[in-house]
Amino acid sequence: MVKRLFLALLIAMPVYAGAQFGFQRIDTIAVYESAVLQKYAWAGGLDYAQFSNIDMDFDGTEDLFVFDRTNNKVLTFIQNGTTGSPDWVYAPQYESKFPEYQNIYNDYEDEQFLFNWVLLIDYNCDGKKDIFAARSGGIKVFKNTGNVTDGLSFVQTSLRLKSFQYTMQQYIYVSNADLPGIKDVDGDGDVDLLTFGGTGQALEYHRNMSMETYGHCDSLIFEMKNICWGRFQESSTTNSVTLWDTLSYPCDDQIPNPESWHPFGEADRHSGSTVLPLDMNNNGVMDVVIGDIAYSNLVLLSNSGTLPNTNSGMNAADPAFPSNSVAVDATVFPGAYHVDINNDSKRDLVVTPSSKVGSENRTSTWYYLNSGTDLSPVFNFQQDDFLQGEMIDVGSHALPVFFDHNGDGLKDLLVSSLGHFDAGSGNQVCSIYYYENTGTLANPAYTLITTDYLGLSTLGIGYSLYFYPAFGDLDNDGDEDLVLGEYSGYCYYFENTGGAGNTAIFSTYVILNDYMSNPLVTPTNAGIYIAPTLVDLDRDNDLDLVVGRRNGQLNYYENIGNASAYSFLYLTNALGGVNVCEWWSIEGYAVPQFLDIDGAYKLVIGSKTGYLHLYDNIEGNISSNFNLADSSLDQIQIGTYSAPAIADLNNDSRFEMVVGNERGGAALYKSANINNIGFGEVAAENQVRIYPNPANNAVTIDFSGLTNEYANSTVQIIDLSGRVISESTVSGSQIKLETAGWEKGTYIVSIKTTNGIISKKLVIL
């Protein structure tokens, strides 16, 4: 059925020049699990997250910054609660205020990107949290330059931190597998560094000399004062700790107080550790909590000293930290974060896995409430799924698809999982989560019914490593059948015998290849991790098969049968010349969705980078190359391995789009409606310039190319819901607008003139 849907058409050019899509992020569709409303349903999931407090909206209350190592993704939560009564609100508009984040797929310089680990700490004592982040083999720093007027912003101040070591300035080494400790170790007011440096078994202490040098704490001037801080060593093969080690390198040096360092020697390199400096008894001497790459527990080492920098040693090790409560058991490689979760100004403890391999990925955020004081904490276990327990989170790689399973006329939501961690076997279990639409035609709502739709995880199809479903009526009996793509590259056909208007019944299945016209070609085997979709691409009234492939391209199989009896013929492995791989990678992971707009197909494809690719010029052109209209649709990027599912869920002539990603969650978007924004066909679009575009804090609309007939025109800035954000009258050659407080997304600049309307796209990052 052809639908007249606007989808923010004309965002980049006038209507006659070609239509493009536009979506606005929303969270207005309710999701329930075990009858409980999921507050952060559409936040996109969490796997291996890191936590820091920061006041993002400058209201005096600490908010929450989350960095997920899975796909180097920033998530931001605003605190709207009262003291002791937290009310975290997911606020994605702040995410773009942080330095650009993305996966590093190649060897280009990474100075400006956030990846691997991120900690927010106020190093210059201005009351604003700055950014300490991974820099291959080291640490980089971004200074918080934001304010209440201009909003949150950061400027990089150090490409890579150095320290005076062994008579010269050298880079501070931090293994890519480690998480350093960044804290005021000596209590003098500036932040110091603790890291398992070159030795890998003992903690290096890099003292910040800012106070000693300048009398204030706003500089990062480090000297390595001890390469065996705490006088302990961690085993090179286990997480066992040797206390008061004075015999082996690097702890064999007996240089007297206050600090020591050892310039020579070698040791076996330990493979990875996390470090949280923490004064557990408020005596001014720092204890430390250590996590190990191969173990599930945290070890608390208690400092025997009474004064900082006296070369004191650790005299006790608690391998069941916190031993007063439920001890941490985070599968593998736990990292600990000291943050205020319940808004009582006492920092609590959050523990998550630091390994992206072999770790729990659905209940992986352990929250411990601090029932003591901020300076003498007592941590008590509360839950193992903080935040993620209120999200759609299927584990790893969410692949959403819409399908009316129960035949009630409402689109249900299926979300395939590449795997959620099974603690019993230590393996990832692949399944499809089924969310029934328990709302109405006008107000959809989703309720989780099962985490293993059709029991697919037990069927042994494709080694039960990956599923991607597609639905369509292949036998013309009024109900939609299932074509299931799986890991090894084959498609399986499940006939729906439930009948039109009834709950789907899929009782038997066959390899779709058995019914191909040319079985010798084995056309459904398109490589691993395939994503099929059914669409009448050639407009002959039967459903053809298009398969997205790991290599970023599409296979096309024409249905040469009919609407009642399908027979697929393999035609090409490069449909439309589509390729969503980036130049540095041979992997694209194409996930296609065809949309019929006013009788013409458009194609939205998810990709490994997380961006959505938009193709048009498809209609009547399936034997030639499609047109790549946009390689980063609306700059939507909620995480790598994007997978779109698009449908009109509430019968309002607008599309909803659910986008899955590698973290196992999903984000929700809505398209604009053609009735909300009117466009005329004028040829003056090139006479108006908008810059910068995309914009961040401000934008200029330049009318210097307009003739007098356009004087006194009206300019409106309209969001994709049709709401007018700003309205001005053209009285000069330029209009300058402050956009710092605007939400991230796409807007329409509508210039109403006596001859018509000029419409341009404006993107706010």
Side-chain angles (χ1 to χ4, degrees), residues 471-618:
F471 296 91
D473 188 358
L474 287 174
D475 52 9
N476 201 28
D477 64 353
D479 56 27
E480 290 191 298
D481 307 300
L482 166 63
V483 171
L484 186 71
E486 46 80 56
Y487 169 79
S488 60
Y490 289 96
C491 287
Y492 285 76
Y493 170 61
F494 292 71
E495 182 184 357
N496 184 354
T497 59
N502 298 320
T503 297
I505 299 174
F506 300 110
S507 55
T508 59
Y509 59 90
V510 294
I511 298 178
L512 196 58
N513 183 63
D514 290 347
Y515 292 86
M516 295 293 174
S517 297
N518 190 352
L520 297 179
V521 182
T522 59
T524 56
N525 194 327
I528 61 176
Y529 297 112
I530 62 171
T533 189
L534 294 167
V535 57
D536 183 8
L537 197 60
D538 55 5
R539 301 290 191 181
D540 65 350
N541 297 315
D542 55 30
L543 293 175
D544 307 301
L545 178 66
V546 176
V547 178
R549 297 163 59 202
R550 186 187 188 187
N551 71 353
Q553 299 176 301
L554 304 179
N555 280 18
Y556 173 47
Y557 312 95
E558 181 186 353
N559 189 346
I560 59 174
N562 54 54
S564 299
Y566 67 85
S567 181
F568 293 112
L569 175 65
Y570 168 69
L571 292 183
T572 179
N573 62 1
L575 176 65
V578 168
N579 192 335
V580 297
C581 289
E582 298 297 336
W583 62 268
W584 62 80
S585 176
I586 60 173
E587 294 183 335
Y589 287 85
V591 180
Q593 287 279 288
F594 285 91
L595 302 176
D596 190 336
I597 309 296
D598 290 337
Y601 283 122
K602 294 186 183 295
L603 172 62
V604 177
I605 309 183
S607 68
K608 180 178 179 178
T609 65
Y611 289 103
L612 300 176
H613 298 242
L614 172 66
Y615 287 85
D616 57 19
N617 192 28
I618 300 169

Side-chain angles (χ1 to χ4, degrees), residues 67 71-74 95-104 108 110-115 118 131 133 140 142 154 611 635 637 765:
F67 183 75
N71 45 29
N72 298 322
K73 178 68 173 70
V74 170
E95 293 170 2
S96 63
K97 305 297 183 181
F98 291 86
E100 184 176 359
Y101 49 86
Q102 68 178 64
N103 269 12
I104 306 301
Y108 59 77
D110 56 25
E111 288 94 346
Q112 69 270 41
F113 302 123
L114 300 183
F115 71 103
V118 181
I131 299 174
K140 58 178 176 275
F142 299 83
F154 295 91
Y611 289 103
Q635 297 296 308
Q637 210 276 18
L765 297 180

